Amino acid sequence: MFESLLEGFNNPSLRFFIFDSKNDHLIYGDKDFDEYHWDQARYNKPRIGDFFLYRRPQKASEVKGQFYIYGLGKIKSIQNINNVDDATQKKRDKHVIAHVEQGIRFKDPILQSDLEDFEWTFKKRGNTWEHFFQQYGMNEINQTDFIALLKMGLENQLDALDMSSVEEDIDYRVEDKRANVKIRGKDQRDFSLQVKLNYQYRCAISGITSKEFLIASHIIPWAVDWDNRKNPFNGICLSSLLDKAFDKGYITIDQQYRVVISNKAKEDKALFMYLKQYEGKKLEVPKQYLPKQDFLEWHRNRFINN
């Protein structure tokens, strides 16, 4: 599948970019994988048919101290905006909207820390990231770097190539009639990304940061609550083993966000000794989307109180 995607990059006239999101141009109403706005008086290189990667810069990133690259887009069309505000007419005469197609959100973003040893060819980075990306937030890169980054982003994500668009809303409900393999995969992928970003790509209990071992755990399982299948308040980022322990009721979380070990865990001595080290430990919870107490109470009642 990736090879077929690469065929679209063979045109020698194509240009490749990294576009920053949630920057100053947010005031014009950007929407990821749908529209991207900029001022041609300040930057006029992108053209119809060009490809770009989305980057969340450090100052807007949910992951403290790190930018991340999180998706692919293609410029479908570029539309000039007619300004109706006389006070700003001169300032925005060159303002345009790029309509985006072939949007693909990566299952897991490429974190800044993942790129420390990346060999850029479009320019030399040096020992720091300072001044590597221009401040305006639109950077032209070459095809070599673009394809290498895309391969990193799409690693272990063949199903992402079926996504023609990415919808963003606050509807967390997913009905069973939609929960076939393809649709459930997309909904779970959106949920997983949001939860992992909330927790800075760190297990809330163990502190593990290796992305391969991190799971976005539902507090109330997918099969139980349609209305909160995509709700980030219903998620905790855990390592794969702790995710399984939480899902099966070997551990739960009290009202103070501290780990509680169930009697069930004592049935396996080695497992109990591993979990014991976290007994009473307080979760490293995010500033937003704190696990909802009603959901945690449901989990305790299911595994501990009954």
Side-chain angles (χ1 to χ4, degrees), residues 6-54:
L6 291 182
E7 292 177 2
F9 306 146
N10 290 331
N11 187 336
S13 66
L14 284 179
R15 295 178 179 177
F16 302 92
F17 299 88
I18 295 176
F19 288 174
D20 285 359
S21 61
K22 288 191 175 181
N23 211 322
D24 292 341
H25 53 254
L26 180 63
I27 63 174
Y28 298 123
D30 280 358
K31 183 178 180 182
D32 285 353
F33 306 98
D34 185 13
E35 295 181 356
Y36 192 88
H37 302 228
W38 74 90
D39 187 345
Q40 283 189 326
R42 299 179 65 186
Y43 199 85
N44 65 353
K45 292 185 177 182
R47 300 171 300 193
I48 294 173
D50 289 343
F51 288 88
F52 65 91
L53 298 171
Y54 278 106

Side-chain angles (χ1 to χ4, degrees), residues 78-92:
I78 298 177
Q79 172 188 356
N80 291 315
I81 294 181
N82 295 320
N83 198 311
V84 297
D85 187 347
D86 292 337
T88 58
Q89 179 78 35
K90 185 176 180 180
K91 181 179 179 181
R92 291 181 55 187

Side-chain angles (χ1 to χ4, degrees), residues 61-79:
S61 175
E62 300 90 333
V63 182
K64 186 177 181 180
Q66 295 200 52
F67 68 79
Y68 62 87
I69 296 171
Y70 61 96
L72 163 74
K74 180 182 180 181
I75 298 177
K76 179 181 180 180
S77 63
I78 298 177
Q79 172 188 356

Side-chain angles (χ1 to χ4, degrees), residues 133-144:
F133 297 106
Q134 63 171 305
Q135 291 183 344
Y136 185 54
M138 301 180 75
N139 294 265
E140 184 176 2
I141 62 176
N142 59 32
Q143 184 188 62
T144 299

